[in-house]
Amino acid sequence: MKHLIFYFSGTGNSLHAAKTIGKAFRPCRIQSMSCPVCPSLTGTYESIGFIYPTYFQGLPRQAERFIRQLDLSQCRCEYVYGITTFGELSGNALSQLNGLLCQKGQALHYSAKLKMFSNYVVMYDLSRKLEQKTIQADQALQHIVEDLRMKTIKQTRRNIPLLDRYYRWQIQRAQTSDRHYQISQACVSCNLCEKVCPVNNIEMHDGQPAFLNHCEQCLACVQYCPEKAINFKEKTQKRRRYHHPEIPAATLIQSNRQRQEWG
């Protein structure tokens, strides 16, 4: 019997949650949903979890794509759960996951919302209460870990159609939102943005990041840039930056490298 966690993460919140839960359930494999080749699972699992942020009140597009392609027909799992990290609203992020899994004959046994530090810097400046909010999130995460240990059954809230229409509109717009990113003279061509991007949307051209129009708007490139050289329109230049305190760039980069592997 073994445990498996699929995650998607831009600024480290969901990766931190996956790592925390993974430590509580061993042996546990943690696998990025940015993996370009979606696996076919075989054998028996004690639990399979899906952990990801809420984007536009729904699933990240890459997470949705991955789950649609995931083959569960050749495996058996006792307990399937979903956790969405969010800053303000979680919307349909869990009901969308449950709907995709139901199409495969596997409904969620448990779902949970995990409020973490709100960091969508495109819309607002970030709170100064980082330490306080991180402690609160970790406390809430420990309650989720206990639920998972006990294999708690928790019904997933039904999908809200109005929010789903909003989500579909916004998630399509996000792909080309990268045309609004600006690169300032502070850029030192370190190519960190290219490495932290979870969906390979950045390439370095003549020492400058170029965006390839399949953006998730996770803002990893904006948040992790050590020089604050990447900004969205004229909105973010003077705003604070954030990534999870326990997920430095090197950890996210290593995670992105592992996304190429399965087997």
Side-chain angles (χ1 to χ4, degrees):
M1 301 287 277
K2 49 192 172 181
H3 302 272
L4 176 61
I5 297 174
F6 291 115
Y7 76 92
F8 181 85
S9 193
T11 52
N13 284 347
S14 293
L15 179 54
H16 170 71
K19 285 179 169 291
T20 299
I21 293 170
K23 290 177 182 178
F25 298 93
R26 297 182 183 277
C28 181
R29 175 167 184 166
I30 301 174
Q31 175 68 44
S32 173
M33 285 192 277
S34 295
C35 182
V37 179
C38 193
S40 295
L41 301 184
T42 59
T44 300
Y45 293 86
E46 188 170 341
S47 71
I48 297 177
F50 298 85
I51 304 176
Y52 51 88
T54 298
Y55 288 171
F56 310 109
Q57 302 199 44
L59 281 161
R61 190 177 62 256
Q62 175 58 32
E64 180 185 25
R65 184 182 301 117
F66 180 92
I67 295 161
R68 285 190 184 279
Q69 296 175 354
L70 184 63
D71 184 0
L72 299 174
S73 63
Q74 303 300 314
C75 75
R76 186 172 70 86
C77 183
E78 295 181 1
Y79 190 70
V80 180
Y81 62 90
I83 298 167
T84 187
T85 59
F86 72 104
E88 297 299 333
L89 297 170
S90 62
N92 287 337
L94 291 168
S95 59
Q96 287 178 355
L97 170 63
N98 192 47
L100 291 172
L101 293 177
C102 283
Q103 293 175 18
K104 302 174 184 293
Q106 178 62 76
L108 288 172
H109 295 98
Y110 174 88
S111 62
K113 303 176 291 184
L114 177 60
K115 184 174 178 60
M116 301 190 77
F117 189 84
S118 184
N119 63 87
Y120 193 48
V121 68
V122 165
M123 293 293 293
Y124 44 77
D125 201 357
L126 307 185
S127 171
R128 297 181 184 274
K129 299 179 180 179
L130 173 59
E131 183 176 359
Q132 175 186 336
K133 292 179 180 292
T134 300
I135 291 172
Q136 291 172 345
D138 281 343
Q139 290 171 343
L141 181 55
Q142 288 307 313
H143 287 300
I144 292 173
V145 170
E146 290 306 312
D147 280 349
L148 298 179
R149 282 199 178 107
M150 297 174 64
K151 289 187 167 60
T152 300
I153 303 298
K154 184 178 179 182
Q155 188 174 14
T156 304
R157 191 183 72 177
R158 295 178 63 181
N159 205 59
I160 301 173
L162 182 61
L163 292 183
D164 211 34
R165 289 194 290 272
Y166 169 79
Y167 164 80
R168 294 297 170 190
W169 173 55
Q170 290 284 22
I171 208 73
Q172 284 298 116
R173 295 179 66 199
Q175 294 183 71
T176 56
S177 64
D178 54 14
R179 70 181 185 274
H180 298 300
Y181 290 137
Q182 300 177 359
I183 313 302
S184 76
Q185 293 182 349
C187 177
V188 295
S189 304
C190 68
N191 83 331
L192 189 67
C193 54
E194 179 184 28
K195 293 178 181 178
V196 297
C197 178
V199 291
N200 289 327
N201 186 50
I202 301 174
E203 292 180 351
M204 298 300 290
H205 292 174
D206 298 323
Q208 295 278 296
F211 301 92
L212 307 180
N213 301 136
H214 54 87
C215 182
E216 287 280 353
Q217 214 175 15
C218 71
L219 303 179
C221 57
V222 175
Q223 304 282 26
Y224 277 98
C225 177
E227 305 299 329
K228 296 179 68 172
I230 303 177
N231 285 282
F232 189 82
K233 297 183 178 179
E234 301 294 334
K235 296 182 176 183
T236 60
Q237 282 78 357
K238 295 182 180 180
R239 292 176 180 173
R240 288 178 287 277
R241 300 298 198 257
Y242 168 85
H243 60 77
H244 193 279
E246 294 187 27
I247 307 295
T251 300
L252 192 62
I253 290 167
Q254 180 63 25
S255 165
N256 286 348
R257 287 174 180 165
Q258 290 173 344
R259 74 185 174 200
Q260 305 294 332
E261 306 166 3
W262 181 265

